[in-house]
Amino acid sequence: MTHLRHGRYSAIAHRIVSPKALACWALIATASVVAPIHAASVQEPPAFAQVIEREVPAIMKDAKIQGAAIGLIVDGKLVYARGYGYADHAGKVPATPDTVFVAASLSKPIASWVTMRLAEQGRIRLDQPVAELVSPWPLAQNQFDYRQITIRRLLSHTAGTTLGGYQGWLDYKELPTLEESLAGKTNGRGAVELFAPVGAKFQYSGGGYTLMQLAIERTTKRKYADLARELVFRPLGMKHSSVTMTPKVLAGAAQGHGDDGGPVPMRYYVEQAPSALSTTVNDFARWMIAGMADSPGAHPLGQAQLSLMYAPAELSTPRAPDDAIYGLGHFIERLADGSTAVGHDGRNQAGFRAKFLMRPSTGDGIVFFSNSRTGLALDRIVCLWSADVAQADPAKACKK
């Protein structure tokens, strides 16, 4: 694809690569990327990777980011994957594309896949009232009609539910049940409530995804974590991904860091659909590629279902000008060249930050994970990538 080879940043980076550097890049890319995502031999470094190599170390130093891992997808293939810094508190374990990071709200697009696969199998219906699946109703009743809430509305954050994110728990043994979480046992974040008529407004609601998780478990009589493994992780070969947050599962995962770079203890979440994904760059790239048109490898969801997830949710009232555009489990962005990108970010109290953005129609994407609260500074890399693929001026689009 020419847009990544000859974008403004990419063209500049490409001209400064020496033959010796080309050989080194081939070795790095081959060692970092796991087949079958990138089975072809590497002929030259992906041009935008030069920008990553230049920008990331400086960003990490300035923001005191302990560790990060980044993946770059071109033409439906993971062409670059590399870790930076360290995964542990002591600074002895290098971060790599196979380091497990807690991905926080990147759980939500995974949850959209779980839900869409269940719908494909006829085990749930997107427009079925959730009250038919969950009885007794777990939320406090008020003037808003909870009987109009559907799975589709929960997926698109248009169900009128509150509670954007969760605090998590330091002690795994303190984890509440889903019903207790919905009722307010959230370590200070309060209960999930209805604040608006169903379908009237977009409001980001992790609480809505928790309600959806409960509905899925009730109607399938299966644990959500088992369904995620069966319907998403296993078909895509995501061997190091899970939504089961236990000390055992996270024993070898990256360790979190605070704003000052100091250690932060792990947090545990029972709210798996909105909050509990742990994964690696190599694993998550497999999922991203499976959500792109005409990409190689397994495709558990068809194009019609993917298109549904990438379409803006409808509202019964006019959308506010500054409202985010959201589909089913994905934020939707219009890039400078008019093309559409979808993605999500994630952050939690344990010091983890993550973000991905991709253009499903062209097979391009980028993802990063970080084990530092200041990892938000790496959003700049995603911004530079979006400017590059859209052939926009990065100096204007991504001001420091």
Side-chain angles (χ1 to χ4, degrees):
M1 284 188 153
T2 57
H3 53 262
L4 275 174
R5 302 274 188 260
H6 304 294
R8 187 181 184 93
Y9 259 69
S10 299
I12 294 172
H14 187 72
R15 289 198 296 268
I16 64 173
V17 183
S18 66
K20 182 177 179 181
L22 284 171
C24 292
W25 274 96
L27 289 173
I28 290 173
T30 303
S32 299
V33 180
V34 178
I37 292 178
H38 182 46
S41 60
V42 177
Q43 301 299 320
E44 62 179 54
F48 186 76
Q50 310 298 313
V51 181
I52 297 174
E53 290 285 326
R54 181 180 67 246
E55 295 281 343
V56 169
I59 291 172
M60 292 180 66
K61 181 179 179 181
D62 290 345
K64 298 181 180 179
I65 299 171
Q66 176 77 349
I70 298 177
L72 180 66
I73 297 169
V74 180
D75 292 339
K77 297 178 182 179
L78 179 62
V79 297
Y80 174 87
R82 182 177 173 183
Y84 292 82
Y86 297 95
D88 63 328
H89 291 154
K92 295 182 179 180
V93 180
T96 76
D98 288 315
T99 296
V100 173
F101 287 85
V102 176
S105 287
L106 269 61
S107 306
K108 293 181 178 72
I110 296 294
S112 73
W113 272 56
V114 173
T115 307
M116 294 300 286
R117 292 220 62 201
L118 289 171
E120 178 187 42
Q121 296 171 359
R123 299 162 75 179
I124 64 169
R125 289 184 288 112
L126 293 181
D127 294 315
Q128 183 176 10
V130 173
E132 294 180 3
L133 308 177
V134 181
S135 182
W137 184 248
L139 308 186
Q141 297 184 34
N142 57 21
Q143 71 269 35
F144 303 111
D145 188 0
Y146 70 90
R147 293 170 297 181
Q148 296 184 32
I149 295 176
T150 63
I151 296 293
R152 188 191 302 271
R153 288 300 185 187
L154 293 175
L155 276 174
S156 60
H157 298 296
T158 60
T161 52
T162 62
L163 209 161
Y166 289 93
Q167 186 80 6
W169 300 83
L170 293 172
D171 187 349
Y172 173 73
K173 296 178 181 179
E174 291 185 26
L175 285 181
T177 64
L178 288 177
E179 293 86 349
E180 288 174 335
S181 172
L182 290 167
K185 190 176 180 181
T186 53
N187 199 13
R189 289 296 174 91
V192 180
E193 301 173 343
L194 295 183
F195 80 98
V198 176
K201 297 181 179 181
F202 167 85
Q203 177 159 309
Y204 189 81
S205 173
Y209 271 64
T210 302
L211 178 59
M212 185 182 71
Q213 179 184 337
L214 179 62
I216 288 172
E217 292 190 345
R218 291 278 185 90
T219 192
T220 63
K221 296 180 172 53
R222 297 283 305 280
K223 292 182 178 179
Y224 174 81
D226 292 340
L227 291 170
R229 182 172 61 253
E230 174 186 304
L231 300 175
V232 181
F233 302 146
R234 188 181 297 158
L236 293 177
M238 298 170 69
K239 297 180 180 180
H240 305 290
S241 301
S242 176
V243 292
T244 305
M245 291 197 78
T246 68
K248 182 178 180 180
V249 168
L250 298 177
Q255 298 173 323
H257 298 78
D259 293 331
D260 61 353
V264 173
M266 187 63 74
R267 299 263 178 160
Y268 299 96
Y269 301 80
V270 70
E271 302 86 7
Q272 296 172 339
S275 306
L277 176 67
S278 59
T279 189
T280 70
V281 159
N282 280 332
D283 267 15
F284 199 79
R286 292 176 182 269
W287 174 82
M288 291 173 65
I289 290 168
M292 296 176 172
D294 302 320
S295 57
H299 289 78
L301 288 177
Q303 189 57 49
Q305 294 161 309
L306 294 173
S307 296
L308 185 60
M309 290 191 295
Y310 304 153
E314 295 182 356
L315 296 174
S316 61
T317 59
R319 192 185 304 273
D322 58 346
D323 271 358
I325 307 298
Y326 204 86
L328 302 182
H330 298 73
F331 284 100
I332 303 168
E333 298 184 18
R334 184 63 59 90
L335 301 187
D337 63 349
S339 62
T340 297
V342 298
H344 217 289
D345 63 339
R347 63 186 77 177
N348 71 8
Q349 298 294 322
F352 290 92
R353 301 292 184 264
K355 188 169 186 175
F356 82 94
L357 191 65
M358 64 182 187
R359 297 199 299 183
S361 62
T362 60
D364 310 318
I366 191 167
V367 59
F368 78 78
F369 299 112
S370 172
N371 62 346
S372 298
R373 285 180 185 163
T374 53
L376 284 175
L378 289 169
D379 281 3
R380 174 171 171 78
I381 295 300
V382 179
C383 182
L384 292 172
W385 173 84
S386 65
D388 185 74
V389 297
Q391 299 185 20
D393 184 351
K396 293 181 179 179
C398 310
K399 296 179 181 179
K400 291 187 178 180

